[in-house]
Amino acid sequence: MVKKWPLCFLLFSIIFSVARSQAPLRDHDSTYYVTYRDRVTVRAYLSRKYTVLRFAPPGPFPKFNYSPNTTLNVGIGATYHALTLNIGIGVNRFNPKEIRGKTRYLDLQCHFYARDWNVDILGEFYKGYYLTPKGYAAPPGEDYYKRPDLELNVIGIAFYKSLNERRFSYQAGLLQNEWQKKSAGAILLGGEIYYGAIRGDSVLVPYNLDSNYYKENINRLHFFEIGPGLGYGYTLVYREHFFVLGSVTFNLAFRYSRERSESSGKYGDRIDFTPNDIFHLGAGYNTDTWCLSALWVNTRLNAKGGTSDYRYGITAGNYRLIYAKRFRINRKVRKMLQPIPAIIGQ
């Protein structure tokens, strides 16, 4: 994982740059939402992250997925102004058994929700997958076909500007430091950039699933995608307290992808365009002092092979159940935290 830290530093540098570029906060319509940016929002949560690989062969062959064996995490966190820090640890009692194999991963799904800009960052570094559905291509006597060598790395950023920030608050549904009291929505304009790589010590697809792919000896895929995006977000509020938040963005990206056989040195390039999407879904109950909510964030990326004509999909996401409480802070604590809004521009 040491080699991944320069990439992680780059991602957080991008977040910092976006934050610093924010214009001074304009007045919002307090009849639509209330902000608690001067309070500290503390949360406890349960979450599970995932990054699934989808393989869609051309012709009559069925689709299949490689899934990771990720953990259920329990964590705590806090938000002040637009700065959020969460720390979680795995709970072994509720985690999958190792009949699916082991997965080593560093998952840096980061979500930065400011008043004007909403930023979703992927830093996915996974190694160790198993094939689904259960029993598919599994050796005799085993439940799953396991690939401890299969590795996925994805880094990228999606950034969208809300065109109705005075009435629509992403933070109310996703960060719990605001309270949306009336229903409102916003058009989202922005773009996305991603780089990804899938690699294995041997061919990515087993022989008994696709002998033609196996003969090509493809064990690597690299892709780069960049393009503009458009979306819409809306929060439905019932009796001020109950809310359902939904947003979806669609990205039309220029895509360059390369399949490669490491043993033979052969490769196949493809240049085209691809649609990607991100959705946020949340629901819960909000008050002046606390919030209970369930959230689901999901990003889908697509690539296509130049040699095999396979369609590859990457689905990265996070389920989370959150209880949050907002605390007023005294003058002494506020003075200690004073550099935060100055540094991040919020």
Side-chain angles (χ1 to χ4, degrees):
M1 293 301 179
V2 175
K3 296 180 180 179
K4 311 302 193 294
W5 287 113
L7 297 176
C8 301
F9 177 77
L10 175 61
L11 294 179
F12 286 107
S13 297
I14 294 173
I15 295 179
F16 179 80
S17 299
V18 171
R20 290 297 302 159
S21 67
Q22 298 291 299
L25 288 179
R26 292 178 288 176
D27 291 337
H28 66 284
D29 190 336
S30 58
T31 63
Y32 276 82
Y33 67 89
V34 179
T35 184
Y36 303 99
R37 303 168 73 84
D38 59 342
R39 302 186 192 182
V40 174
T41 301
V42 178
R43 68 183 59 82
Y45 64 88
L46 293 172
S47 74
R48 186 185 295 276
K49 295 180 178 181
Y50 59 88
T51 301
V52 177
L53 298 174
R54 306 187 317 272
F55 284 60
F61 299 106
K63 301 177 183 179
F64 57 91
N65 293 339
Y66 281 110
S67 299
N69 196 5
T70 57
T71 61
L72 176 68
N73 296 319
V74 59
I76 58 174
T79 297
Y80 182 66
H81 281 256
L83 181 65
T84 296
L85 177 64
N86 294 317
I87 300 175
I89 59 173
V91 183
N92 292 329
R93 183 175 180 179
F94 299 102
N95 286 325
K97 297 182 180 180
E98 292 185 1
I99 59 171
R100 301 175 184 176
K102 293 183 179 181
T103 299
R104 295 167 48 209
Y105 65 98
L106 176 64
D107 193 317
L108 299 175
Q109 295 181 40
C110 306
H111 310 285
F112 176 81
Y113 305 114
R115 184 65 55 80
D116 293 345
W117 288 90
N118 311 301
V119 180
D120 295 290
I121 296 210
L122 291 184
E124 310 295 303
F125 310 105
Y126 278 71
K127 186 172 184 179
Y129 280 83
Y130 64 93
L131 195 64
T132 58
K134 183 178 180 180
Y136 203 46
E142 296 192 19
D143 294 322
Y144 295 96
Y145 175 81
K146 291 173 282 191
R147 289 293 302 265
D149 63 301
L150 188 58
E151 186 175 355
L152 169 69
N153 295 331
V154 177
I155 60 171
I157 180 171
F159 46 94
Y160 287 89
K161 180 177 176 59
S162 170
L163 301 187
N164 188 23
E165 75 281 358
R166 292 190 69 252
R167 293 184 174 182
F168 173 74
S169 169
Y170 245 126
Q171 294 177 329
L174 302 175
L175 283 186
Q176 306 88 44
N177 66 338
E178 294 182 339
W179 175 12
Q180 186 91 39
K181 289 189 170 186
K182 294 172 64 175
S183 300
I187 295 174
L188 307 171
L189 293 176
E192 303 177 26
I193 306 172
Y194 300 102
Y195 168 76
I198 304 170
R199 60 175 67 91
D201 293 343
S202 58
V203 184
L204 298 178
V205 178
Y207 178 83
N208 56 350
L209 293 188
D210 189 343
S211 59
N212 292 328
Y213 190 103
Y214 192 88
K215 291 175 183 176
E216 294 290 345
N217 200 27
I218 300 168
N219 70 321
R220 288 176 179 261
L221 171 75
H222 296 263
F223 64 88
F224 173 77
E225 300 176 359
I226 183 171
L230 174 67
Y232 187 76
Y234 188 82
T235 300
L236 175 67
V237 179
Y238 177 69
R239 293 186 176 180
E240 288 196 343
H241 298 284
F242 296 94
F243 71 90
V244 176
L245 165 69
S247 79
V248 61
T249 56
F250 294 100
N251 161 241
L252 181 61
F254 165 82
R255 174 176 64 189
Y256 167 74
S257 54
R258 167 177 284 188
E259 286 177 319
R260 184 180 178 187
S261 168
E262 192 172 48
S263 60
S264 66
K266 295 190 302 181
Y267 59 86
D269 293 340
R270 180 183 290 271
I271 296 176
D272 55 8
F273 291 88
T274 180
N276 298 315
D277 63 81
I278 304 173
F279 73 78
H280 300 76
L281 183 64
Y285 186 89
N286 214 341
T287 74
D288 183 58
T289 57
W290 61 272
C291 177
L292 179 65
S293 60
L295 304 177
W296 182 18
V297 180
N298 190 83
T299 300
R300 292 193 303 179
L301 307 177
N302 298 284
K304 194 169 185 180
T307 300
S308 69
D309 212 32
Y310 261 61
R311 288 179 288 118
Y312 303 89
I314 298 170
T315 304
N318 182 15
Y319 304 98
R320 183 168 290 188
L321 178 65
I322 303 169
Y323 174 76
K325 190 170 178 61
R326 308 179 189 100
F327 293 93
R328 299 182 185 274
I329 55 178
N330 59 35
R331 186 177 303 176
K332 183 177 180 179
V333 175
R334 185 176 289 109
K335 187 175 181 180
M336 292 173 56
L337 299 177
Q338 188 174 0
I340 292 177
I343 291 173
I344 64 176
Q346 296 292 313

